[in-house]
């Protein structure tokens, strides 16, 4: 994983000369959308005081015009800080993409549909009754699953029998 450009952030003395040069700060008036605010967010993320994704909005809103660099009396290389932060954010998003897809599939596609839920229940029953679950758990094979799926596997409910699809007879 790319490292955040911490050394560049400590050059900023937080003087504020960059503020009037920054179009997003001028239009929004929010400190976190100013160069010194973004620099501070990158510094805090590099120090582990905030999560990397906490700086996403501010970094994404930056136009990258680098007008702040010419206004800076300390010679802070804001472009290096911005590009480094964007690279780290991009890597973080790429790593969390399988988890987000899984969450979306579970919450938006599976849960509202009882037929799909029954199909998953049948697959889980087969997984458990065939002895495959015991092999996976004994061999600790669930560690190779992406994201939090290994933790999910450990708390799977026990399915006692296969489910049949819901019938239309009970519908009004």
């Amino acid at each position: 994983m790319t490292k955040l450009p911490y050394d560049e952030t400590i050059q900023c003395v937080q003087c504020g000369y960059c503020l009037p040069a920054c179009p997003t700060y001028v239009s929004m008036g929010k400190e976190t959308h100013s160069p010194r605010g973004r620099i501070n967010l990158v510094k805090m993320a590099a120090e582990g005081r905030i999560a990397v994704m906490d700086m996403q909005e501010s970094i994404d809103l930056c136009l990258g015009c680098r007008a702040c660099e010419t206004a800076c009396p300390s010679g802070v290389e804001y472009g290096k800080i911005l590009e480094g932060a964007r690279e780290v954010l991009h890597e973080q998003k790429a790593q969390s993409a399988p988890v987000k897809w899984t969450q979306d599939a579970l919450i938006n596609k599976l849960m509202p549909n009882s037929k799909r839920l029954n199909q998953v229940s049948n697959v889980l029953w087969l997984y458990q009754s065939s002895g495959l679950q015991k092999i996976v758990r004994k061999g600790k094979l669930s560690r190779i699953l992406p994201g939090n799926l290994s933790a999910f596997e450990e708390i799977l409910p026990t399915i006692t029998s296969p489910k049949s699809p819901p019938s239309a007879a009970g519908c009004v």
Side-chain angles (χ1 to χ4, degrees), residues 127 136 141-154:
Y127 171 67
V136 167
L141 299 174
S142 64
R143 288 184 284 173
I144 64 171
L145 295 172
N148 293 328
L149 287 179
S150 73
F152 181 69
E153 197 287 328
E154 292 174 17

Side-chain angles (χ1 to χ4, degrees), residues 21-87:
C22 177
T24 52
Y25 177 75
V26 169
S27 66
M28 301 178 102
K30 195 171 178 184
E31 182 67 26
T32 55
H33 299 329
S34 72
R36 75 176 178 186
R38 291 183 188 103
I39 289 170
N40 199 31
L41 288 171
V42 171
K43 183 178 179 183
M44 289 191 307
E47 293 171 346
R49 296 190 302 167
I50 64 169
V52 169
M53 297 309 287
D54 289 344
M55 64 180 185
Q56 181 179 357
E57 180 187 8
S58 295
I59 297 298
D60 285 350
L61 286 174
C62 179
L63 301 175
C65 67
R66 297 168 65 173
C68 54
E69 284 187 1
T70 58
C72 181
S74 300
V76 174
E77 295 178 82
Y78 180 76
K80 281 186 181 178
I81 297 169
L82 177 65
E83 291 309 312
R86 284 183 172 162
E87 195 172 319

Side-chain angles (χ1 to χ4, degrees), residues 165-171:
S167 66
C171 297

Side-chain angles (χ1 to χ4, degrees), residues 89-146:
L89 283 166
H90 178 73
E91 289 173 3
Q92 186 97 14
K93 286 181 206 173
Q95 288 175 350
S96 66
V99 174
K100 288 197 185 296
W101 176 85
T102 306
Q103 288 172 341
D104 179 59
L106 284 172
I107 294 169
N108 297 328
K109 305 279 189 290
L110 179 65
M111 296 300 183
N113 187 314
S114 61
K115 187 175 180 180
R116 285 188 195 134
L117 206 51
N118 281 339
Q119 290 170 342
V120 169
S121 176
N122 289 339
V123 170
L124 283 177
W125 174 81
L126 185 62
Y127 171 67
Q128 292 170 349
S129 65
S130 69
L132 186 57
Q133 183 177 39
K134 288 179 183 172
I135 293 169
V136 167
R137 289 184 175 178
K138 198 170 212 172
K140 298 185 180 181
L141 299 174
S142 64
R143 288 184 284 173
I144 64 171
L145 295 172

